[in-house]
Amino acid sequence: MPTPHISAAQGDIAETVLLPGDPYRAKWAAETFLDNPRLVNEVRGMLGYTGTYKGNPVTIHGSGMGMPSLSIYANELITEYGAKTLIRIGSCGAMQKSINVRDVIIGMSATTLSTPSRGIFKEINFAPCADYGLLEKAVTAARAKGTPTHVGNIYSADVFYDERPDLNEIMIRHGILGVEMEAAELYNLAARHGCRALAVLTVSDHLITHEALPSSERESSFGDMVEIALQAAFA
Ligand code: HPA
């Protein structure tokens, strides 16, 4: 049944879903990497496409920016459409000097100040973590491609325009690899519903060196990440 935010018919969403924040990236990735992509959702402009990758059905659906937005789409995809494997593909800011723009970061776990699940966990500091099988396959795919790839703890922030530089400093000092805004809640939801989740991220900017990927190069770096995610899902 269509949900408040997804108008796809039952059966139009694959069990494997890639979730970029940007709906236009969902369109680009589906048209570039999937066979026979077709638009299955455009409610509120949040584009979702379903096609096949090497014969396997895949949906690529925008999540929007931030955990509250991702939570809406991931909840509906899981509980109403039967999604089982959810892989976030997106950009992040690097937090270690050893990491460069264009590198890939795979989130083994995701640190936060809070998530939309805070009200459920109450006094528990639940540790949102990736599915190990997906993680291992993504690392294998990235190494085979020769993409410089880092695996570890990431920071899912609530704000892009952060008025607390001390928080970034603490994250950096505790070895956090990069900052983005969605993975922790995706991992929480996957744990709650018995799904597999992973975040594969391209470094678009650097919080220490302040280097940023020129927009002309964003597409090709993004493409490596999409292929790593697809190979992780179906290896
Ligand atoms: N902060 C939060 N999210 C991000 C960043 C950042 O610096 N870069 C890419 N996504």
Side-chain angles (χ1 to χ4, degrees), residues 1-13 40-41 43 76-77 80-81:
M1 251 232 305
T3 62
H5 307 96
I6 303 176
S7 61
Q10 279 299 329
D12 272 354
I13 302 285
V40 294
N41 186 39
V43 175
E76 293 180 7
L77 289 163
E80 300 298 326
Y81 289 98

Side-chain angles (χ1 to χ4, degrees), residues 91-93 157 159-160 179-181 204-205 207:
S91 60
C92 71
V159 288
F160 188 88
V179 53
E180 52 85 72
M181 299 184 68
S204 60
D205 52 274
L207 273 76

Side-chain angles (χ1 to χ4, degrees), residues 56-235:
N56 303 288
V58 187
T59 296
I60 307 184
H61 196 294
S63 71
M65 290 176 278
M67 291 185 270
S69 178
L70 173 130
S71 163
I72 290 171
Y73 295 103
N75 263 294
E76 293 180 7
L77 289 163
I78 293 168
T79 63
E80 300 298 326
Y81 289 98
K84 300 269 183 255
T85 296
L86 299 99
I87 305 179
R88 161 159 162 72
I89 49 175
S91 60
C92 71
M95 295 188 117
Q96 300 296 326
K97 284 194 185 130
S98 56
I99 299 175
N100 297 307
V101 292
R102 299 179 197 82
D103 289 2
V104 162
I105 293 177
I106 301 178
M108 186 155 67
S109 50
T111 295
T112 65
L113 294 187
S114 182
T115 70
S117 294
R118 187 79 211 157
I120 295 173
F121 290 130
K122 296 183 183 168
E123 68 272 41
I124 298 169
N125 286 314
F126 185 78
C129 74
D131 176 82
Y132 182 72
L134 278 180
L135 174 76
E136 194 177 24
K137 287 174 185 153
V139 172
T140 302
R143 300 267 187 263
K145 263 185 152 331
T147 309
T149 300
H150 312 265
V151 182
N153 202 350
I154 59 175
Y155 171 37
S156 297
D158 282 331
V159 288
F160 188 88
Y161 297 103
D162 199 343
E163 298 284 339
R164 289 276 310 271
D166 59 313
L167 290 178
N168 286 339
E169 190 272 326
I170 293 168
M171 298 296 168
I172 289 166
R173 215 149 36 81
H174 286 78
I176 296 283
L177 302 180
V179 53
E180 52 85 72
M181 299 184 68
E182 293 82 16
E185 186 63 359
L186 179 64
Y187 292 180
N188 285 338
L189 293 170
R192 190 172 308 147
H193 296 288
C195 297
R196 306 193 300 164
L198 185 67
V200 182
L201 308 163
T202 296
V203 176
S204 60
D205 52 274
H206 206 297
L207 273 76
I208 301 172
T209 66
H210 303 293
E211 199 188 339
L213 198 58
S215 51
S216 57
E217 280 187 44
R218 283 180 191 238
E219 211 154 84
S220 59
S221 301
F222 193 78
D224 282 353
M225 177 179 60
V226 178
E227 286 187 305
I228 290 167
L230 288 168
Q231 285 165 16
F234 299 114

